[in-house]
């Protein structure tokens, strides 16, 4: 007898593969290579394999552990570290990846020394901060200094290109104008080094609209894509694009019902703080049929970011290990022992695939 353990997340690899191939194809038609960003599903090696086999030119993650796992799973696609390397990880970065994104001269020098020790040439993409205020060179002067240093002095590094990141911290849109600024920076560097750069990496999922609207600046030739492949939920729900060729349900969270009772909707007693020390508001809508699930914030962090597939079910709240549902208007008769399914978003996919308590099942 197969032992089934809940909660669990089921990953439909065929749906994931469809999403990867659809996006790789659409990008390819515009001359854009895809770095498949696997951190959104915690770098699960079976998912990473789909990214590689689905046509991504690079496998990318912010976490070297995930890249190590991908390599150990036999993936031969060039690897890219997309968080600027910690000084403490430059040796591993050179060992495990062919490419890294960079924004500090000191780190570039350390990468060069690490590559020298390992007898390798490591390729770097210099990040430019165009106003989103996360990583990247801010001053043109420093960007140019770094570019010239990599090009002329750091013999174990190769200047592969430039990149930017938008819409992560500062919520800045990847407009054609913004991305043209990146091309301008690339051409500024090219004028000084006297050759073309191979890569102009125009951002993440927030740059996919430029592909869909066919207004990507000419020379942008690479995007680093996670959410827009794994889920494409933001493109559909936030940006309003028709994403009907992408599955939003490649990942399914399943949890088991451990209690079903009719209870009050407003707590009875003096209202103090919840399990996380927060003051909460409770609406009084009378007696309601409720269900309790054996899963909680420890597993998915954000109760508002898991979405019941059962019609008429509402998530009321959660503590560490419990989720409380209003099932008064549920379309089906929910009983103790039932399994309930939930859609996820980017954040909750990251959490559930990271939780030691949640099994991962592939279909
Ligand atoms: C996470 C990340 C990406 C991918 O972001 P998505 O929005 O999931 O496509 C791309 N580039 C960098 C630098 C990242 O950290």
């Amino acid at each position: 007898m197969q032992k089934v353990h809940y909660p669990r997340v089921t990953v439909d690899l065929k749906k994931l593969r469809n999403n990867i191939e659809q996006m790789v194809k659409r990008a390819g038609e515009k001359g854009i290579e895809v770095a498949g960003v696997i951190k959104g599903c915690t770098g699960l090696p079976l998912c990473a394999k789909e990214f590689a086999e689905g046509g991504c030119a690079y496998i990318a993650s912010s976490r070297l552990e995930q890249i190590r796992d991908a390599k150990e799973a036999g993936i031969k696609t060039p690897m890219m570290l997309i968080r600027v390397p910690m000084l403490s990880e430059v040796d591993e970065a050179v060992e495990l990846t062919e490419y890294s994104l960079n924004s500090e001269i000191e780190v570039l020098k350390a990468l060069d020394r690490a590559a020298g020790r390992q007898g390798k040439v490591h390729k770097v993409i210099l990040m430019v901060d165009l106003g989103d205020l996360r990583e990247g060179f801010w001053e043109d002067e420093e960007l140019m200094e770094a570019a010239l240093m990599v090009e002329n002095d750091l013999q174990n590094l190769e200047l592969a290109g430039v990149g930017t990141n938008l819409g992560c911290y500062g919520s800045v849109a990847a407009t054609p104008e913004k991305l043209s600024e990146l091309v301008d920076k690339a051409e500024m560097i090219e004028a000084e080094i006297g050759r073309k750069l191979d890569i102009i990496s125009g951002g993440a999922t927030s740059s996919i609209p430029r592909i869909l609207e066919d207004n990507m600046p000419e020379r942008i030739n690479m995007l680093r894509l996670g959410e827009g492949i794994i889920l494409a939920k933001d493109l559909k729900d936030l940006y309003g694009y028709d994403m009907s060729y992408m599955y939003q349900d490649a990942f399914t969270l399943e949890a088991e019902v451990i209690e079903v009772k009719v209870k009050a909707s407003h707590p009875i007693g003096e209202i103090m703080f919840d399990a996380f020390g927060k003051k909460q508001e409770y609406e009084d809508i009378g007696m309601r049929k409720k269900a309790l699930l054996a899963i909680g914030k420890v597993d998915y962090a954000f109760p508002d970011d898991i979405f019941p597939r059962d019609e008429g079910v509402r998530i009321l709240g959660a503590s560490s290990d419990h989720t409380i549902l209003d099932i008064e208007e549920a379309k089906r008769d929910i009983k103790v022992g039932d399994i309930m399914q939930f859609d996820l978003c980017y954040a909750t996919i990251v959490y559930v695939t990271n939780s030691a308590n949640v099994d991962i099942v592939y279909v």
Side-chain angles (χ1 to χ4, degrees):
M1 201 181 79
Q2 198 194 342
K3 193 160 171 348
V4 186
H5 173 268
Y6 295 98
R8 66 180 197 175
V9 56
T10 61
V11 186
D12 188 323
L13 292 173
K14 287 210 179 64
K15 288 184 176 177
L16 178 62
R17 178 67 164 263
N18 167 81
N19 289 4
I20 295 162
E21 289 178 349
Q22 289 286 347
M23 217 29 100
V24 165
K25 184 180 92 181
R26 281 169 172 74
E29 285 165 2
K30 307 281 186 270
I32 293 168
E33 288 189 319
V34 173
V37 177
I38 60 173
K39 71 182 190 218
C41 44
T42 315
L44 296 170
L46 289 183
C47 295
K49 259 192 164 133
E50 299 296 337
F51 277 89
E53 289 167 14
C56 293
Y58 313 87
I59 296 298
S61 181
S62 44
R63 311 264 172 175
L64 285 173
E65 316 85 84
Q66 296 179 4
I67 288 174
R68 186 183 293 280
D69 286 349
K71 286 177 88 82
E72 282 172 4
I75 298 173
K76 300 278 186 278
T77 309
M79 299 288 169
M80 183 178 292
L81 177 60
I82 57 170
R83 181 171 66 191
V84 296
M86 295 184 262
L87 277 175
S88 59
E89 68 181 358
V90 290
D91 286 295
E92 254 188 307
V94 168
E95 177 204 334
L96 294 169
T97 70
E98 282 76 20
Y99 292 83
S100 60
L101 308 186
N102 283 275
S103 65
E104 285 288 354
I105 286 171
E106 189 181 352
V107 175
L108 289 164
K109 288 179 180 167
L111 278 172
D112 179 63
R113 291 192 295 272
R117 285 194 289 275
Q118 294 179 40
K120 284 184 172 175
V121 173
H122 182 76
K123 301 191 179 83
V124 296
I125 294 173
L126 301 183
M127 294 298 277
V128 185
D129 188 341
L130 297 176
D132 201 59
L133 310 184
R134 205 178 67 181
E135 77 276 42
F137 289 97
W138 184 256
E139 304 280 354
D140 280 357
E141 223 169 80
E142 198 197 359
L143 171 65
M144 190 60 86
E145 185 192 341
L148 289 172
M149 183 179 298
V150 173
E151 182 74 3
N152 300 326
D153 305 329
L154 303 179
Q155 295 305 309
N156 309 301
L157 297 186
E158 183 181 318
L159 180 60
V162 295
T164 195
N165 202 69
L166 293 163
C168 270
Y169 171 71
S171 313
V172 172
T175 57
E177 297 72 35
K178 263 292 162 203
L179 293 179
S180 296
E181 286 180 37
L182 179 66
V183 176
D184 292 344
K185 305 286 180 193
E187 291 177 347
M188 173 185 86
I189 292 171
E190 288 171 341
E192 286 290 318
I193 63 175
R195 67 172 179 91
K196 290 244 175 210
L197 294 170
D198 290 339
I199 296 175
I200 305 184
S201 181
T205 294
S206 60
S207 296
I208 291 178
R210 301 289 68 79
I211 294 177
L212 302 180
E213 293 179 15
D214 197 13
N215 55 7
M216 184 71 88
E218 191 66 27
R219 290 203 52 206
I220 302 285
N221 60 5
M222 195 256 269
L223 294 183
R224 311 172 306 270
L225 304 178
E227 196 277 338
I229 284 178
I230 293 169
L231 214 52
K233 185 177 164 64
D234 291 352
L235 292 163
K236 176 171 157 284
D237 294 350
L238 305 181
Y239 292 74
Y241 292 104
D242 171 19
M243 301 307 291
S244 52
Y245 49 90
M246 304 286 279
Y247 292 104
Q248 271 88 54
D249 61 350
F251 290 76
T252 304
L253 179 64
E254 295 182 305
E256 186 169 334
V257 177
I258 54 172
E259 182 187 296
V260 175
K261 291 189 194 302
V262 175
K263 296 191 182 185
S265 43
H266 194 277
I268 317 282
E270 191 185 343
I271 307 300
M272 295 292 281
F273 305 99
D274 74 1
F276 288 83
K278 300 276 190 312
K279 276 271 182 202
Q280 299 285 1
E281 301 277 335
Y282 304 90
E283 202 188 351
D284 190 353
I285 50 169
M287 299 296 283
R288 305 286 289 182
K289 192 173 180 190
K290 313 263 195 89
L292 209 53
L293 291 175
I295 188 168
K297 283 188 185 170
V298 160
D299 304 298
Y300 56 65
F302 307 114
D304 291 340
D305 279 344
I306 66 170
F307 310 95
R309 287 201 184 146
D310 272 292
E311 242 183 283
V313 170
R314 199 159 66 91
I315 296 172
L316 295 171
S319 58
S320 313
D321 308 300
H322 296 83
T323 304
I324 302 140
L325 306 175
D326 184 316
I327 58 167
E328 181 76 28
E329 283 147 42
K331 282 269 148 41
R332 76 176 162 115
D333 182 27
I334 293 165
K335 301 181 300 299
V336 169
D338 281 2
I339 304 305
M340 297 189 67
Q341 295 191 325
F342 297 82
D343 284 315
L344 297 165
C345 70
Y346 185 80
T348 42
I349 289 176
V350 172
Y351 279 100
V352 298
T353 53
N354 252 307
S355 172
N357 308 305
V358 180
D359 273 18
I360 300 169
V361 180
Y362 298 91
V363 295

